[in-house]
Amino acid sequence: MNPQDILRYVDSLHRDRNIDPELLFQAIESALQSAAKRQYGEESDVVVSISRENGQISATLEGKPLGDDQIGRIGAQTAKQVIIQKVREAERDALMIEYRDQIGEIVSGMIGRADGGVATVNLGNVEAILPRSEQIPGESLHANERVRAIVYEVRPQGGNRVRVVLSRTRPQFVQRLFEQEIPELNDEVIAIKSISREPGYRSKVAVSSDDVNIDPISVCVGYRGSRIKAVREELAGEHIDVVRYDSDPEVLIPNALQPAEVDQVLLCDMIGRAIVLVKEDQLSLAIGRRGQNVRLASKLCGWDIEIMTGSELEEQIERAVTGFSQIPGITEEIAQTLVEQGYLSYDDLSVIEPDQFAEMAGLTEEQVDEIVEMAEAKAEEAERAAADERRVRRETEKLDRERAEMEAHMPASEKTPPVEEQTEATATEEAETENAATETAEESVAAGETADEPSAESAVENSEDAPNADSTAETPTAAESTEEAASPEETSSEEPATVGESASASESEKDSGGNA
């Protein structure tokens, strides 16, 4: 091999592919040494070296130098293949080093393909991938569009290739966008202390400043929100809350829960829990939609935040004291101490540190172990009960859905009418029944006046049949006959209504039934 060719080859690869020349020289030396061993035996002691100044090759076999003709007889083709392989490995290693140094940094590239949910991004010297799981929910990427993302993972793949994975969902992406839009962050005038994020929905950023004359929130938002607007546009309209950082959790937690107003923060240091008390009208705002606000605030502050009202806290404390007191070995005083430290459930008690519990309650390690085992058993029992309740609720909801689907496919005549329609139909039927009863009563009264009135002949006969009886006294007059023929309701009522009054009432009820 010509020494000048070796030097030109090394210099060209160094300039074009950014490969360290020393790596190339070592790769060529290794290739020539491997080829020589194949010719002289794998166990032979062959050493090959190349001069970095003039590219001259020198070799020794068992300590004896080899001449140029012997070196020339080394399989040139084999050496060339090994050199190419080493160059590819060196190129891969160079890319690995380059992009591993950029992990967490923002890069920009052109989208090549965006089908099947996975997008490929051309970064110049490597083709990276942007998986669907690392894309912002709801956004759509198209070919030949420029996209920004952070380098999330770098690993070798399939021989000499490098796999670079990008991400647009990590909290670091929000931080890098802030740094690009807000020069004060690079100048260290303000600083980002913490970020919590749910991609595509909401992010919370805690910022601070060492200069009391600088408001970090106003600096991040910008004039009329120009800076924060640019970040939101890159994040597909994601909502961003910029809050003021404070080293005191009692100040940071209310800031993180904005826009909700907090009344009091109770810190439970032993279990890392913060109980936040709010008013009833602030409860839903503090929790957020599907718990999003409190969840992001917990990640931002590093505390397990529980939102409740004062009455809910009192009920939970009372329930916890009662429940703990039922465990053998725990007195009411110990239960009160546990509640004061923030332990409000059997789950909390099952993960308590035994040495801390023993010191706090004045118990032995054996007693503590028994109490913890009992708490774990009760926690499992409560979890099973909750699971059964959820299962019953799901079955009930399933039956309701099936019933609704069945009724949706039923003919209209067979469907069960709504409650209002049933009530209206019932009222109409009752009105019609009362009207019919009234008409029957009127007909009965009229029939009584005609049928029950005795004739003159029957009155004479009755007077003849009754000995020593006054026929005039025994014979009822027409008015008396009418009174006797009155309906049972009229005779039994203390204030009987006349026929005319009864008809008026029935017509009124009929009208009211029709309007029901």
Side-chain angles (χ1 to χ4, degrees):
M1 299 182 67
N2 191 333
Q4 296 302 321
D5 292 340
I6 294 177
L7 292 178
R8 280 197 305 270
Y9 190 57
V10 170
D11 183 64
S12 176
L13 289 175
H14 170 63
R15 286 185 287 103
D16 295 343
R17 303 190 181 184
N18 194 27
I19 300 177
D20 187 3
E22 182 61 28
L23 292 176
L24 292 172
F25 279 118
Q26 292 177 2
I28 297 172
E29 289 173 348
S30 177
L32 293 174
Q33 184 173 335
S34 299
K37 284 189 175 183
R38 290 186 181 182
Q39 181 175 351
Y40 295 104
E42 294 293 335
E43 302 298 330
S44 60
D45 183 13
V46 178
V47 179
V48 179
S49 62
I50 301 176
S51 174
R52 286 3 179 207
E53 290 77 16
N54 55 22
Q56 186 66 40
I57 301 174
S58 61
T60 60
L61 175 61
E62 305 298 340
K64 297 178 181 181
L66 295 174
D68 293 340
D69 56 340
Q70 291 175 305
I71 296 176
R73 287 196 298 268
I74 298 174
Q77 186 65 26
T78 304
K80 182 179 180 181
Q81 293 176 355
V82 175
I83 290 173
I84 293 174
Q85 179 66 21
K86 290 295 183 180
V87 168
R88 289 176 178 174
E89 291 178 0
E91 186 178 12
R92 179 200 63 190
D93 294 340
L95 288 174
M96 291 280 293
I97 294 172
E98 177 184 355
Y99 283 99
R100 276 180 176 172
D101 292 340
Q102 297 186 50
I103 289 180
E105 299 295 330
I106 198 167
V107 294
S108 178
M110 191 72 69
I111 297 177
R113 298 185 308 274
D115 52 348
V118 179
T120 60
V121 182
N122 187 3
L123 299 179
N125 55 355
V126 70
E127 190 176 63
I129 65 169
L130 182 59
R132 185 62 184 171
S133 59
E134 299 299 329
Q135 299 175 24
I136 298 176
E139 73 173 351
S140 58
L141 303 177
H142 305 283
N144 300 323
E145 286 184 349
R146 184 160 292 276
V147 66
R148 288 191 289 178
I150 61 167
V151 179
Y152 169 57
E153 184 181 11
V154 180
R155 60 176 182 266
Q157 178 190 18
N160 300 319
R161 294 194 302 167
V162 177
R163 183 182 182 90
V164 179
V165 182
L166 305 180
S167 174
R168 287 171 55 83
T169 62
R170 306 289 163 172
Q172 293 89 340
F173 185 51
V174 177
Q175 181 172 351
R176 296 294 176 257
L177 291 175
F178 265 72
E179 292 172 353
Q180 288 188 351
E181 299 293 337
I182 305 170
E184 289 82 355
L185 287 171
N186 296 321
D187 297 338
E188 298 183 354
V189 176
I190 63 174
I192 294 178
K193 294 295 186 179
S194 178
I195 297 178
S196 60
R197 184 187 183 198
E198 291 190 0
Y201 300 99
R202 195 172 188 177
S203 293
K204 287 183 179 288
V205 182
V207 295
S208 67
S209 175
D210 295 333
D211 191 343
V212 294
N213 297 321
I214 296 178
D215 182 9
I217 298 178
S218 299
V219 171
C220 292
V221 173
Y223 179 67
R224 292 186 176 179
S226 59
R227 290 177 170 179
I228 201 70
K229 181 181 179 181
V231 176
R232 290 192 61 189
E233 289 177 352
E234 182 64 34
L235 298 177
E238 183 175 312
H239 188 76
I240 300 176
D241 295 335
V242 182
V243 302
R244 192 181 307 276
Y245 177 81
D246 197 288
S247 57
D248 186 0
E250 294 188 10
V251 178
L252 177 60
I253 291 174
N255 292 344
L257 288 171
Q258 292 177 358
E261 297 179 1
V262 174
D263 288 342
Q264 188 179 2
V265 177
L266 305 176
L267 299 179
C268 308
D269 298 323
M270 293 183 66
I271 56 177
R273 175 178 294 162
I275 299 176
V276 178
L277 301 181
V278 298
K279 292 184 175 62
E280 189 72 32
D281 59 346
Q282 296 291 312
L283 185 61
S284 60
L285 187 61
I287 295 174
R289 184 180 181 183
R290 298 180 180 177
Q292 186 183 77
N293 192 49
V294 65
R295 188 165 55 248
L296 289 174
S298 297
K299 295 178 182 178
L300 189 73
C301 304
W303 286 78
D304 182 14
I305 300 177
E306 288 194 12
I307 309 292
M308 59 182 70
T309 61
S311 58
E312 290 175 345
L313 178 61
E314 292 178 358
E315 293 176 1
Q316 195 161 354
I317 289 175
E318 183 178 354
R319 186 165 55 249
V321 171
T322 303
F324 290 159
S325 301
Q326 295 176 355
I327 299 178
I330 295 183
T331 62
E332 187 173 351
E333 292 75 12
I334 296 176
Q336 289 284 357
T337 304
L338 289 170
V339 170
E340 291 174 0
Q341 294 297 328
Y343 297 95
L344 299 177
S345 66
Y346 293 127
D347 283 329
D348 297 340
L349 198 59
S350 63
V351 298
I352 191 172
E353 294 294 335
D355 53 346
Q356 294 180 352
F357 190 15
E359 182 180 356
M360 179 177 59
L363 302 173
T364 63
E365 294 184 0
E366 291 77 10
Q367 291 174 322
V368 170
D369 292 339
E370 292 178 0
I371 291 174
V372 171
E373 289 179 2
M374 181 67 69
E376 290 177 351
K378 288 186 173 293
E380 292 177 358
E381 182 180 350
E383 185 176 355
R384 286 194 299 269
D388 292 340
E389 182 179 354
R390 290 193 298 269
R391 178 179 53 79
V392 172
R393 186 169 61 253
R394 286 195 300 268
E395 291 178 353
T396 304
E397 293 174 353
K398 182 180 178 181
L399 291 175
D400 292 341
R401 287 195 301 269
E402 292 178 351
R403 186 180 297 109
E405 291 176 358
M406 290 177 61
E407 290 185 354
H409 293 84
M410 289 172 58
S413 59
E414 299 181 5
K415 290 184 179 180
T416 304
V419 177
E420 294 81 359
E421 296 181 5
Q422 295 182 22
T423 305
E424 183 177 352
T426 303
T428 305
E429 292 178 0
E430 291 177 353
E432 293 176 352
T433 303
E434 292 177 358
N435 188 25
T438 304
E439 294 175 355
T440 304
E442 293 175 355
E443 293 174 356
S444 300
V445 171
E449 291 176 352
T450 305
D452 294 342
E453 184 179 359
S455 60
E457 295 178 357
S458 61
V460 173
E461 292 178 356
N462 290 334
S463 62
E464 290 178 353
D465 293 338
N468 302 325
D470 188 0
S471 60
T472 306
E474 292 295 332
T475 304
T477 62
E480 291 173 347
S481 300
T482 305
E483 291 176 358
E484 290 176 357
S487 63
E489 294 180 357
E490 295 174 350
T491 56
S492 61
S493 174
E494 294 180 359
E495 297 180 11
T498 62
V499 175
E501 291 173 347
S502 176
S504 299
S506 64
E507 291 176 358
S508 175
E509 290 174 358
K510 183 176 181 181
D511 293 340
S512 63
N515 296 327

